[in-house]
Amino acid sequence: GQQLNQSPQSMFIQEGEDVSMNCTSSSIFNTWLWYKQDPGEGPVLLIALYKAGELTSNGRLTAQFGTTRKDSFLNISASIPSDVGIYFCAGAYTGTASKLTFGTGTRLQVTL
Amino acid sequence: NAGVMQNPRHLVRRRGQEARLRCSPMKGHSHVYWYRQLPEEGLKFMVYLQKENIIDESGMPKERFSAEFPKEGPSILRIQQVVRGDSAAYFCASSPPGGDSNQPQHFGDGTRLSIL
Protein backbone atom coordinates (compact mmCIF):
# COMPACT_ATOMS: atom_id res chain seq x y z
CA GLY A 1 0.00 0.00 0.00
CA GLN A 2 0.93 3.65 -0.29
CA GLN A 3 3.17 5.19 2.32
CA LEU A 4 3.96 8.83 2.74
CA ASN A 5 7.55 10.01 2.55
CA GLN A 6 8.90 11.94 5.48
CA SER A 7 12.16 13.86 5.66
CA PRO A 8 14.53 13.92 7.23
CA GLN A 9 14.57 10.27 8.30
CA SER A 10 16.40 11.23 11.48
CA MET A 11 17.95 14.25 13.04
CA PHE A 12 20.17 15.13 15.95
CA ILE A 13 19.70 18.60 17.33
CA GLN A 14 20.77 20.54 20.36
CA GLU A 15 18.36 21.57 23.07
CA GLY A 16 16.86 24.95 22.26
CA GLU A 17 17.10 24.58 18.50
CA ASP A 18 14.12 24.71 16.18
CA VAL A 19 13.16 21.64 14.16
CA SER A 20 11.44 21.33 10.79
CA MET A 21 10.21 18.17 9.10
CA ASN A 22 7.93 17.49 6.19
CA CYS A 23 5.75 14.84 4.66
CA THR A 24 4.93 14.37 0.99
CA SER A 25 2.47 12.24 -0.91
CA SER A 26 1.87 11.35 -4.53
CA SER A 27 -1.87 11.76 -4.01
CA ILE A 28 -4.19 14.27 -2.38
CA PHE A 29 -5.43 13.98 1.18
CA ASN A 30 -8.32 15.85 2.79
CA THR A 31 -6.98 15.54 6.33
CA TRP A 32 -3.43 15.58 7.66
CA LEU A 33 -2.47 14.48 11.15
CA TRP A 34 0.81 14.53 13.06
CA TYR A 35 1.53 11.94 15.76
CA LYS A 36 4.47 11.32 18.10
CA GLN A 37 5.45 7.84 19.19
CA ASP A 38 7.67 7.02 22.15
CA PRO A 39 9.33 3.58 22.49
CA GLY A 40 6.89 0.89 23.56
CA GLU A 41 3.87 3.14 23.26
CA GLY A 42 1.19 4.01 20.75
CA PRO A 43 1.13 7.16 18.61
CA VAL A 44 -0.14 10.26 20.39
CA LEU A 45 -1.96 12.89 18.36
CA LEU A 46 -0.17 16.26 18.20
CA ILE A 47 -2.00 18.29 15.58
CA ALA A 48 -4.88 17.73 13.14
CA LEU A 49 -5.32 19.75 9.92
CA TYR A 50 -8.55 19.83 7.89
CA LYS A 51 -8.18 22.56 5.24
CA ALA A 52 -5.60 23.25 2.56
CA GLY A 53 -3.33 26.08 3.67
CA GLU A 54 -4.37 25.72 7.31
CA LEU A 55 -1.72 26.59 9.89
CA THR A 56 -2.31 25.23 13.39
CA SER A 57 -0.27 25.48 16.58
CA ASN A 58 -0.16 23.38 19.73
CA GLY A 59 2.26 24.95 22.20
CA ARG A 60 5.74 24.86 20.65
CA LEU A 61 4.47 22.84 17.69
CA THR A 62 3.15 24.34 14.46
CA ALA A 63 1.91 22.36 11.49
CA GLN A 64 0.69 23.36 8.05
CA PHE A 65 -1.56 21.66 5.52
CA GLY A 66 0.11 22.23 2.16
CA THR A 67 -1.88 24.14 -0.47
CA THR A 68 -1.47 21.32 -3.00
CA ARG A 69 -3.02 18.89 -0.46
CA LYS A 70 -0.05 16.61 -1.13
CA ASP A 71 2.20 17.71 1.69
CA SER A 72 2.36 18.87 5.27
CA PHE A 73 5.00 20.39 7.52
CA LEU A 74 5.71 20.26 11.25
CA ASN A 75 7.89 22.70 13.15
CA ILE A 76 9.02 22.41 16.76
CA SER A 77 10.43 25.53 18.34
CA ALA A 78 12.99 25.63 21.17
CA SER A 79 13.34 21.85 21.43
CA ILE A 80 13.65 20.18 24.81
CA PRO A 81 14.87 16.66 25.74
CA SER A 82 11.32 15.26 26.00
CA ASP A 83 10.79 16.04 22.31
CA VAL A 84 12.83 12.91 21.58
CA GLY A 85 10.80 10.32 19.72
CA ILE A 86 9.51 9.39 16.30
CA TYR A 87 7.17 11.79 14.53
CA PHE A 88 4.70 10.40 12.03
CA CYS A 89 2.49 12.20 9.58
CA ALA A 90 -0.75 10.54 8.50
CA GLY A 91 -3.23 11.37 5.77
CA ALA A 92 -6.89 10.53 5.33
CA TYR A 93 -9.00 10.83 2.17
CA THR A 94 -12.48 11.23 3.62
CA GLY A 95 -12.15 12.79 7.05
CA THR A 96 -10.77 10.88 9.97
CA ALA A 97 -13.45 8.18 10.07
CA SER A 98 -11.50 6.24 7.48
CA LYS A 99 -8.16 4.55 7.20
CA LEU A 100 -5.04 6.57 7.84
CA THR A 101 -1.98 6.29 5.61
CA PHE A 102 1.15 6.82 7.69
CA GLY A 103 4.50 8.29 6.79
CA THR A 104 7.85 6.60 7.23
CA GLY A 105 8.64 8.65 10.35
CA THR A 106 11.25 11.18 11.44
CA ARG A 107 13.34 10.12 14.42
CA LEU A 108 14.32 13.10 16.55
CA GLN A 109 17.14 13.03 19.07
CA VAL A 110 17.91 16.02 21.22
CA THR A 111 21.28 16.52 22.86
CA LEU A 112 21.88 18.74 25.84
CA ASN B 1 -8.02 6.28 32.17
CA ALA B 2 -10.61 6.52 29.43
CA GLY B 3 -8.18 5.85 26.60
CA VAL B 4 -8.07 3.01 24.10
CA MET B 5 -7.20 -0.17 25.99
CA GLN B 6 -5.38 -3.06 24.35
CA ASN B 7 -4.48 -6.39 25.84
CA PRO B 8 -2.33 -8.20 26.21
CA ARG B 9 0.57 -5.76 25.91
CA HIS B 10 2.90 -8.60 24.98
CA LEU B 11 1.99 -11.95 23.46
CA VAL B 12 4.29 -14.83 22.62
CA ARG B 13 3.12 -17.66 20.40
CA ARG B 14 4.75 -20.62 18.68
CA ARG B 15 4.39 -21.11 14.96
CA GLY B 16 1.03 -22.64 14.12
CA GLN B 17 -0.79 -21.36 17.20
CA GLU B 18 -3.56 -18.77 17.27
CA ALA B 19 -3.19 -15.20 18.51
CA ARG B 20 -6.10 -13.13 19.81
CA LEU B 21 -5.62 -9.42 20.36
CA ARG B 22 -8.25 -7.33 22.14
CA CYS B 23 -9.15 -3.68 21.91
CA SER B 24 -11.63 -1.67 23.96
CA PRO B 25 -12.27 1.71 22.34
CA MET B 26 -12.50 4.99 24.19
CA LYS B 27 -15.81 5.60 25.93
CA GLY B 28 -18.40 6.79 23.45
CA HIS B 29 -16.39 5.64 20.42
CA SER B 30 -17.98 3.15 18.07
CA HIS B 31 -15.39 3.06 15.27
CA VAL B 32 -12.35 0.82 15.66
CA TYR B 33 -9.29 0.53 13.43
CA TRP B 34 -6.43 -1.95 13.51
CA TYR B 35 -2.91 -1.16 12.29
CA ARG B 36 0.31 -3.18 12.13
CA GLN B 37 3.79 -1.78 12.69
CA LEU B 38 7.03 -3.55 11.82
CA PRO B 39 10.28 -2.37 13.47
CA GLU B 40 11.58 0.92 12.11
CA GLU B 41 8.47 1.43 9.95
CA GLY B 42 5.26 3.43 10.04
CA LEU B 43 1.88 1.97 10.88
CA LYS B 44 -0.02 0.17 8.11
CA PHE B 45 -3.81 0.05 8.05
CA MET B 46 -5.44 -3.35 8.34
CA VAL B 47 -9.17 -3.04 9.02
CA TYR B 48 -11.88 -0.56 10.03
CA LEU B 49 -14.93 -1.77 11.95
CA GLN B 50 -18.08 -0.38 13.46
CA LYS B 51 -20.27 -2.34 15.85
CA GLU B 52 -21.06 -5.69 14.17
CA ASN B 53 -19.86 -4.43 10.76
CA ILE B 54 -16.61 -4.52 8.83
CA ILE B 55 -16.41 -1.22 6.92
CA ASP B 56 -13.01 -1.51 5.21
CA GLU B 57 -10.75 -4.55 5.29
CA SER B 58 -8.55 -3.56 2.38
CA GLY B 59 -5.37 -3.91 4.48
CA MET B 60 -6.10 -7.36 5.88
CA PRO B 61 -4.15 -10.35 4.58
CA LYS B 62 -6.51 -12.64 2.69
CA GLU B 63 -5.81 -15.68 4.83
CA ARG B 64 -5.42 -16.41 8.54
CA PHE B 65 -6.44 -12.91 9.70
CA SER B 66 -9.91 -11.90 10.86
CA ALA B 67 -11.42 -9.13 12.93
CA GLU B 68 -14.69 -8.53 14.69
CA PHE B 69 -16.33 -5.86 16.80
CA PRO B 70 -19.36 -7.43 18.47
CA LYS B 71 -22.33 -5.56 19.89
CA GLU B 72 -21.00 -6.21 23.38
CA GLY B 73 -17.35 -6.48 24.34
CA PRO B 74 -14.04 -5.53 22.80
CA SER B 75 -12.90 -5.73 19.21
CA ILE B 76 -10.83 -8.83 18.49
CA LEU B 77 -8.07 -9.27 15.91
CA ARG B 78 -7.49 -12.96 15.38
CA ILE B 79 -4.50 -14.50 13.65
CA GLN B 80 -4.67 -18.22 12.98
CA GLN B 81 -1.68 -20.51 12.41
CA VAL B 82 0.81 -17.75 13.13
CA VAL B 83 4.11 -17.57 11.25
CA ARG B 84 7.35 -15.72 12.08
CA GLY B 85 6.40 -12.90 9.73
CA ASP B 86 3.41 -12.06 11.90
CA SER B 87 5.76 -10.74 14.60
CA ALA B 88 4.95 -7.04 14.89
CA ALA B 89 3.26 -4.44 17.05
CA TYR B 90 -0.49 -4.30 16.47
CA PHE B 91 -2.23 -1.04 17.31
CA CYS B 92 -5.89 -0.29 17.73
CA ALA B 93 -7.41 3.17 17.32
CA SER B 94 -10.93 4.46 17.89
CA SER B 95 -13.04 7.44 16.87
CA PRO B 96 -16.55 8.66 17.70
CA PRO B 97 -19.69 7.72 15.74
CA GLY B 98 -20.98 9.77 12.84
CA GLY B 99 -17.73 10.14 10.94
CA ASP B 100 -17.07 13.49 12.57
CA SER B 101 -14.02 14.81 10.81
CA ASN B 102 -13.04 16.91 13.79
CA GLN B 103 -12.51 13.87 16.00
CA PRO B 104 -9.34 12.13 14.92
CA GLN B 105 -8.35 8.59 15.75
CA HIS B 106 -6.77 7.94 19.14
CA PHE B 107 -4.45 4.98 19.60
CA GLY B 108 -3.86 2.40 22.27
CA ASP B 109 -0.37 1.32 23.38
CA GLY B 110 -0.42 -1.75 21.19
CA THR B 111 0.15 -5.49 21.51
CA ARG B 112 3.66 -6.70 20.74
CA LEU B 113 3.32 -10.13 19.15
CA SER B 114 6.39 -12.37 19.05
CA ILE B 115 6.37 -15.68 17.20
CA LEU B 116 8.90 -18.28 18.28
Side-chain angles (χ1 to χ4, degrees), chain B residues 75-95:
Chain B
S75 175
I76 307 286
L77 179 68
R78 183 181 176 210
I79 311 172
Q80 295 178 288
Q81 298 176 313
V82 295
V83 300
R84 288 242 169 91
D86 296 333
S87 295
Y90 291 84
F91 290 95
C92 171
S94 71
S95 65

Side-chain angles (χ1 to χ4, degrees), chain B:
Chain B
N1 187 341
V4 178
M5 303 301 294
Q6 290 188 248
N7 69 82
R9 289 296 308 275
H10 300 273
L11 183 61
V12 180
R13 285 286 177 266
R14 296 188 181 280
R15 281 178 294 171
Q17 291 185 320
E18 178 179 286
R20 281 185 181 236
L21 288 62
R22 294 175 191 76
C23 170
S24 295
M26 285 179 71
K27 190 175 179 182
H29 287 192
S30 58
H31 298 199
V32 165
Y33 314 79
W34 286 92
Y35 294 81
R36 178 164 60 178
Q37 185 178 35
L38 296 173
E40 308 299 317
E41 293 188 11
L43 282 73
K44 300 223 174 128
F45 170 79
M46 299 179 75
V47 62
Y48 163 31
L49 310 104
Q50 296 177 18
K51 286 282 186 182
E52 300 184 281
N53 282 309
I54 296 175
I55 307 301
D56 181 352
E57 57 181 347
S58 58
M60 285 282 267
K62 296 288 182 248
E63 297 177 348
R64 302 188 298 108
F65 285 71
S66 62
E68 62 176 6
F69 189 16
K71 190 176 179 183
E72 302 291 338
S75 175
I76 307 286
L77 179 68
R78 183 181 176 210
I79 311 172
Q80 295 178 288
Q81 298 176 313
V82 295
V83 300
R84 288 242 169 91
D86 296 333
S87 295
Y90 291 84
F91 290 95
C92 171
S94 71
S95 65
D100 185 343
S101 63
N102 288 326
Q103 296 292 334
Q105 296 173 29
H106 291 268
F107 285 81
D109 282 335
T111 293
R112 271 103 188 130
L113 176 63
S114 299
I115 308 302
L116 302 178

